Amino acid sequence: MTHLTRILAVLLGIAAGALGAGWLLRPRVPAPPDTASVVSQMREVARLETLEVALYKKVSFTPEPQVTDALWKDVMNWARHAIQNPHGRAIVFADAYLGFDFQRFGPSNLHVAGTKVYVVMPPIDVRVALRPGETEVIDSNLDSEQTAQLLEKARLAFEREVRADTRLQQRARDSAERALRALLVTVGYREVLFVERLPASGSAG
C-alpha cells in the first residue's frame, strides 16, 4: 500500500467515524406520550389548581305559607303566617370553588400534531360551601327548617353570582391553563394551544 493510499484510507475512516457519530448524536423527536397517562396527569393537576374565593353576604328571608289540599289547613297556615310574621336575617360566609370538570375530560379533548398539542377545556365547575361556624343569624324567629331554607337560599345566591362573574372564571381558567401547559411541556410537547374546538384531522399545522 502506497503512502497516498494509506492517507486516503485514514481519511475515509475519519469521515465514516464522523458520519457514525453524527447519526448517533443527531437530535431525535421524542415519541409522543401515552394519551391516557397524560389525561390522568392533567386531571390531577387541574384538581389542584381549583380557585378558592371567600364570600360573605347579608341575606333576609320570609317564608311563604304552605299550600295544602285541605281548606281549613290553608286558613290556619295563612293565619299563623300573618300573626307570627316569620322572618330572618343572616350574615352568611361561604367559600366558592371554581375549577374544571375533568371527569368529563378524555382523549377526545386532545389533538396531537407532532410536538404540538391542542386542548379543549371541559366546562367550568362551581361549588359553594357555607361556613356555618362564621355565619350569624340575626333578628330571626324562624324555626330550624326555615333557617335551613334561609341558608340554602344564600348558598344558591352565591353560586349564581359566581357563575355570572366572568372575571373569576377567567382567573380560574388562566390558573389552570398555566399549570396544564407546564405539565404538557414537561412530558414532551413543545407547543400547547388551548382552543374552543379541535382542528379537523390533517388541518393542524
Side-chain angles (χ1 to χ4, degrees):
M1 180 180 296
T2 65
H3 181 67
L4 180 59
T5 302
R6 286 196 297 270
I7 292 175
L8 288 174
V10 170
L11 291 175
L12 287 172
I14 292 173
L19 287 173
W23 184 85
L24 290 173
L25 298 176
R26 77 189 189 286
R28 299 182 182 182
V29 177
D34 176 65
T35 303
S37 173
V38 170
V39 167
S40 177
Q41 293 179 65
M42 291 177 72
R43 285 175 177 167
E44 182 63 20
V45 167
R47 184 184 68 80
L48 296 175
E49 283 301 317
T50 298
L51 178 66
E52 182 177 341
V53 182
L55 308 168
Y56 75 94
K57 180 184 289 292
K58 181 180 289 187
V59 296
S60 61
F61 179 67
T62 302
E64 294 294 331
Q66 297 179 357
V67 178
T68 71
D69 294 332
L71 176 61
W72 287 109
K73 287 185 178 180
D74 289 344
V75 173
M76 292 175 62
N77 280 334
W78 280 102
R80 184 168 63 249
H81 181 267
I83 295 171
Q84 296 180 355
N85 184 27
H87 61 276
R89 289 186 299 149
I91 301 175
V92 183
F93 293 81
D95 292 311
Y97 303 91
L98 294 88
F100 290 86
D101 186 4
F102 267 74
Q103 295 305 312
R104 298 169 60 182
F105 185 89
S108 61
N109 292 78
L110 299 176
H111 177 84
V112 177
T115 58
K116 180 187 296 184
V117 60
Y118 297 83
V119 181
V120 174
M121 296 289 279
I124 197 163
D125 183 35
V126 175
R127 293 184 299 106
V128 173
L130 299 182
R131 289 190 279 176
E134 299 179 34
T135 294
E136 181 182 359
V137 178
I138 53 178
D139 187 23
S140 174
N141 63 358
L142 303 178
D143 60 28
S144 58
E145 180 180 354
Q146 292 166 340
T147 300
Q149 293 176 22
L150 166 65
L151 297 179
E152 177 62 11
K153 176 183 176 182
R155 190 191 69 79
L156 293 174
F158 280 135
E159 188 172 299
R160 285 194 298 269
E161 286 187 359
V162 172
R163 289 187 184 279
D165 193 323
T166 55
R167 290 180 300 176
L168 277 181
Q169 294 189 25
Q170 190 59 51
R171 281 177 56 192
R173 177 175 292 276
D174 291 344
S175 176
E177 288 184 358
R178 280 194 301 270
L180 292 174
R181 179 176 283 108
L183 167 67
L184 291 170
V185 169
T186 298
V187 300
Y189 296 109
R190 296 180 182 174
E191 189 174 358
V192 181
L193 300 174
F194 293 94
V195 295
E196 293 298 322
R197 61 177 56 87
L198 296 179
S201 298
S203 65

